[in-house]
């Protein structure tokens, strides 16, 4: 196994409960926020909860990473350094950071990961972090598989983490200032107001309205479930699921789905790869990514620029397509399709004015659905989606996975008793070994395999060749308990979960994302630039000549306009194939 490359499934944890669920459903690592300085200010957790999560995860050799990935005011640096000391003492394996001013603070020997908020798009940037002693870089979501492979080729010694699932920020992470500018809530301080999920008018230079109140910056959700093989072969080793604000149903379903996919890939390449943690999961449900919160799915820029990456009609969850409206009655509708329904299901559709509407099902008779009041805009032929699946949620609301570490036991006699071994752990008990009058192996196997609610399961029990002794059940029970205790101590280890040998990064790097402004650390930006996006509205509406589109009839610059009248100028930077959003003066 030492020659195998470990692959890590990294799951989000809003809280301790979600973190434990992620481990139970197959995560190799979990990332979680502490009470301060995480990029999701609404998802903070106490040091005690982080300590509990670490001890639970480390049973399976799974890891816990703590997010300290916001920009910091100068007076906050000592507080953040103290927080990192506390999470290290609690057993955390690494911290994700954005503000590089932290490198000037006295930090414990915990591994540092460069957050995606540090804008990691180039090999040069990744090499800077390697030279600083960082143990991992989280790459920008916008990178293609070819760009990831190029970075890996140029900086092969830096482990690369990539996002594979969940919500997408339209702006490059760490370089978005729209929320702070418009609402006084800095995305780089964990307080994003989701400017990109708001409706806009699109205006040309003459004030003509090209689009009215559409969600022009709202991207679909990322889904790379069918492309894990490409990401692995490109050099990524950690596969990150977005969602530190998502509920436990999301965590259970998405983690289980990707864990099974990763296992399937590894089983086909068992001579090259292994999972980064221990344990096998069994589930009471069939994971289905269509049934989890999503705005529609995209592979984003995995294979370069692609159409249909945004969701202009709604920023809300659409869910799983379930059929079309076949007929409408007074308080019911009939659905054409093969889907089954349950009382309480939530259904939605896009109406004639391209807005999302929804309704709840009160009663089901086959494919006839009864509702309290049919929406007035619902029409025959419209596509229906289920964004609340009651039957699936009932499955997930109960215990839905068990994770066990398989162990092989070996029993042998010693000069003064018996010895039981598993993996690298051995325990002994002194007792008198009497020659058995009848074969003892079945009873011994039955007693030693009773691992109950421990994290272990016995998959094999072997005996020394000459072992033919009667061993009292009390001795066998004592052996079993001592072995479980020794295995647990061996797997959980000390308080630092294996990260105590990390070196403390030091040095300097481009300070694009480090705090130095005395009042507002997020204002380190060009004068009026609010956002840089790889998403491009010219391309999205078929007017990018470079990519085979038609010449636009409008006169530029174009502007986005919020419902309150505020306007934002768009710049199409074709040289860099990106769209920039500016304050409109």
């Amino acid at each position: 196994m030492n020659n195998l490359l470990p692959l890590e499934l990294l799951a989000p944890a809003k809280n301790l409960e979600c973190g434990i669920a992620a481990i139970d459903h197959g995560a190799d690592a979990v990332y979680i926020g502490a009470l301060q300085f995480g990029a999701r200010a609404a998802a903070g957790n106490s040091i005690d909860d982080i300590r509990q999560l670490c001890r639970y995860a480390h049973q399976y050799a799974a890891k816990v990473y703590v997010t300290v990935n916001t920009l910091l005011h100068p007076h906050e640096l000592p507080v953040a350094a103290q927080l990192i000391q506390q999470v290290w003492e609690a057993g955390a394996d690494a911290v994700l950071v954005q503000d590089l001013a932290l490198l000037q603070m006295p930090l414990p020997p915990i591994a540092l990961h460069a957050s995606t908020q540090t804008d990691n798009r180039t090999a040069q940037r990744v090499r800077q972090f390697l030279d600083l002693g960082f143990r991992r870089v989280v790459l920008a979501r916008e990178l293609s598989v070819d760009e990831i492979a190029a970075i890996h080729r140029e900086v092969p010694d830096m482990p690369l983490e990539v996002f594979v699932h969940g919500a997408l920020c339209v702006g490059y992470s760490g370089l978005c200032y729209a929320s702070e500018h418009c609402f006084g809530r800095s995305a780089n301080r964990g307080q994003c107001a989701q400017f990109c999920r708001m409706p806009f008018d699109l205006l040309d230079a003459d004030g003509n309205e090209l689009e009215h109140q559409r969600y022009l910056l709202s991207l679909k959700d990322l889904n790379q479930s069918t492309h894990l093989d490409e990401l692995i072969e490109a050099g990524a080793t950690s596969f990150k699921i977005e969602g530190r604000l998502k509920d436990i149903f999301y965590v259970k379903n998405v983690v289980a789905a990707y864990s099974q996919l990763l296992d399937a890939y590894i089983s086909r390449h068992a001579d090259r790869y292994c999972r980064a943690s221990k344990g096998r999961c069994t589930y009471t449900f069939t994971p289905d990514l269509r049934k989890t919160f999503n705005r529609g799915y995209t592979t984003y820029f995995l294979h370069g620029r692609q159409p249909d990456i945004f969701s202009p009609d709604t920023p809300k969850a659409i869910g799983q397509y379930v059929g079309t409206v076949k007929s409408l009655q007074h308080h019911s509708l009939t659905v054409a399709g093969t889907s089954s329904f349950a009382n309480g299901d939530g259904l939605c559709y896009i109406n004639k004015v391209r807005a999302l509407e929804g309704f709840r099902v009160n009663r089901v008779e086959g494919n006839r659905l009864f509702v309290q009041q049919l929406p007035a805009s619902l029409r025959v032929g419209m596509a229906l989606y289920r964004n609340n699946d009651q039957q699936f949620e009932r499955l997930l609301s109960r215990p839905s996975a068990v994770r066990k570490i398989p162990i092989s036991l070996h029993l042998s006699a010693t000069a003064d008793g018996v010895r039981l071994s598993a993996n690298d752990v051995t325990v002994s008990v002194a007792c008198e070994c009497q020659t058995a009058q009848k074969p003892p192996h079945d009873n011994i196997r039955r007693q030693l395999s009773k691992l109950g609610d421990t994290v272990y399961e016995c998959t094999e029990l072997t005996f020394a060749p000459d072992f033919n002794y009667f061993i009292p059940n009390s001795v066998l029970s004592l052996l079993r308990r001592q072995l479980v205790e020794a295995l647990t101590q061996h797997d959980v280890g000390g308080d630092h979960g294996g990260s105590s040998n990390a070196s403390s990064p030091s040095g300097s790097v481009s300070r694009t994302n480090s705090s130095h402004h005395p009042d507002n650390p997020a204002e380190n930006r060009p004068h009026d630039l609010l956002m840089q996006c790889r998403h491009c509205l010219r391309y999205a509406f078929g007017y990018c000549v470079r990519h085979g589109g038609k010449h636009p009839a409008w006169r530029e610059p174009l502007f986005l306009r919020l419902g309150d009248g505020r306007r934002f100028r768009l710049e199409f930077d074709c040289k860099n194939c990106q769209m920039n959003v500016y304050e409109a003066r």
Side-chain angles (χ1 to χ4, degrees), residues 312-521:
D313 294 327
T314 178
K316 298 179 181 178
I318 294 178
Q320 179 183 8
Y321 172 76
V322 291
T324 59
V325 178
K326 183 177 180 180
S327 64
L328 295 168
Q329 292 81 39
H330 181 54
H331 282 291
S332 68
L333 67 151
T334 304
V335 180
T338 59
S339 298
S340 59
F341 300 91
N343 298 347
D345 278 354
L347 301 182
C348 60
Y349 61 97
I350 302 294
N351 64 24
K352 291 293 186 182
V353 294
R354 295 185 301 197
L356 185 73
E357 287 195 61
F359 57 92
R360 187 166 296 278
V361 176
N362 287 350
R363 183 165 56 88
V364 174
E365 290 182 4
N367 64 343
R368 187 177 182 185
L369 313 180
F370 293 84
V371 300
Q372 184 172 353
Q373 181 69 48
L374 281 174
S377 63
L378 191 62
R379 297 287 184 271
V380 172
M382 284 184 167
L384 288 174
Y385 301 85
R386 176 163 44 202
N387 56 8
N388 189 312
D389 189 320
Q390 284 294 296
Q391 187 174 13
F392 195 64
E393 288 201 1
R394 278 195 292 271
L395 284 172
L396 294 180
S397 67
R398 301 189 286 266
S400 49
V402 174
R403 181 170 181 170
K404 295 286 188 179
I405 300 173
I407 56 174
S408 297
L409 304 179
H410 181 74
L411 187 66
S412 59
T414 64
D416 61 349
V418 286
R419 176 171 52 227
L420 184 63
S421 302
N423 301 347
D424 299 323
V425 172
T426 299
V427 296
S428 300
V429 172
C431 69
E432 181 181 355
C433 291
Q434 298 179 352
T435 300
Q437 299 302 312
K438 58 182 180 179
H441 294 171
D442 287 347
N443 180 65
I444 292 174
R445 184 174 285 108
R446 197 162 42 245
Q447 296 300 320
L448 292 182
S449 298
K450 292 180 179 178
L451 295 171
D453 59 358
T454 71
V455 301
Y456 305 101
E457 64 176 353
C458 176
T459 55
E460 182 184 31
L461 174 58
T462 59
F463 299 85
D466 58 348
F467 193 94
N468 186 37
Y469 300 103
F470 167 75
I471 308 297
N473 286 350
S474 59
V475 173
L476 295 174
S477 297
L478 179 59
L479 264 179
R480 186 183 64 238
R481 287 197 304 272
Q482 289 186 355
L483 183 70
V484 167
E485 291 172 2
L487 284 169
T488 302
Q489 182 61 33
H490 178 268
D491 290 340
V492 173
D495 290 337
H496 302 116
S499 65
S500 58
N501 60 349
S503 58
S504 296
S506 61
S508 62
V509 72
S510 169
R511 299 298 293 275
T512 302
N513 295 89
S514 63
S515 64
H516 61 272
H517 192 286
D519 298 313
N520 194 340

Side-chain angles (χ1 to χ4, degrees), residues 5 7 139 143-162 227-239 265 272-273 302-303:
L5 181 63
L7 300 179
L139 294 179
L143 296 184
S144 70
V145 69
D146 290 338
E147 290 169 317
I148 294 168
I151 290 173
H152 177 62
R153 282 195 302 270
E154 292 190 44
V155 198
D157 295 331
M158 174 60 85
L160 301 178
E161 180 180 307
V162 296
H227 300 280
L228 287 179
D229 55 344
E230 295 174 74
L231 291 168
I232 293 168
E233 288 154 19
T237 54
S238 178
F239 307 95
Y265 179 86
R272 296 173 58 194
Y273 301 105
L302 185 75
H303 297 125

Side-chain angles (χ1 to χ4, degrees), residues 211-277:
E211 297 286 339
H212 177 71
Q213 289 297 284
R214 301 193 73 198
Y215 300 91
L216 301 175
L217 299 180
S218 183
L219 299 181
K220 292 182 176 181
D221 287 356
L222 185 66
N223 182 342
Q224 306 290 25
S225 60
T226 58
H227 300 280
L228 287 179
D229 55 344
E230 295 174 74
L231 291 168
I232 293 168
E233 288 154 19
T237 54
S238 178
F239 307 95
K240 186 172 195 169
I241 298 166
E242 180 278 337
R244 279 201 298 120
L245 295 179
K246 296 293 200 308
D247 62 28
I248 196 168
F249 300 145
Y250 173 95
V251 170
K252 287 182 173 184
N253 185 35
V254 178
V255 170
Y258 276 88
S259 184
Q260 289 184 336
L261 291 168
L262 205 53
D263 281 344
Y265 179 86
I266 289 172
S267 70
R268 297 192 300 270
H269 303 86
D271 58 329
R272 296 173 58 194
Y273 301 105
C274 64
R275 290 296 292 266
S277 63

Side-chain angles (χ1 to χ4, degrees), residues 92-112:
D93 299 278
V95 291
L96 287 86
V97 300
Q98 175 183 11
D99 198 322
L100 302 180
L102 277 168
L103 302 189
Q104 309 306 319
M105 303 302 296
L107 299 178
I110 189 171
L112 295 190

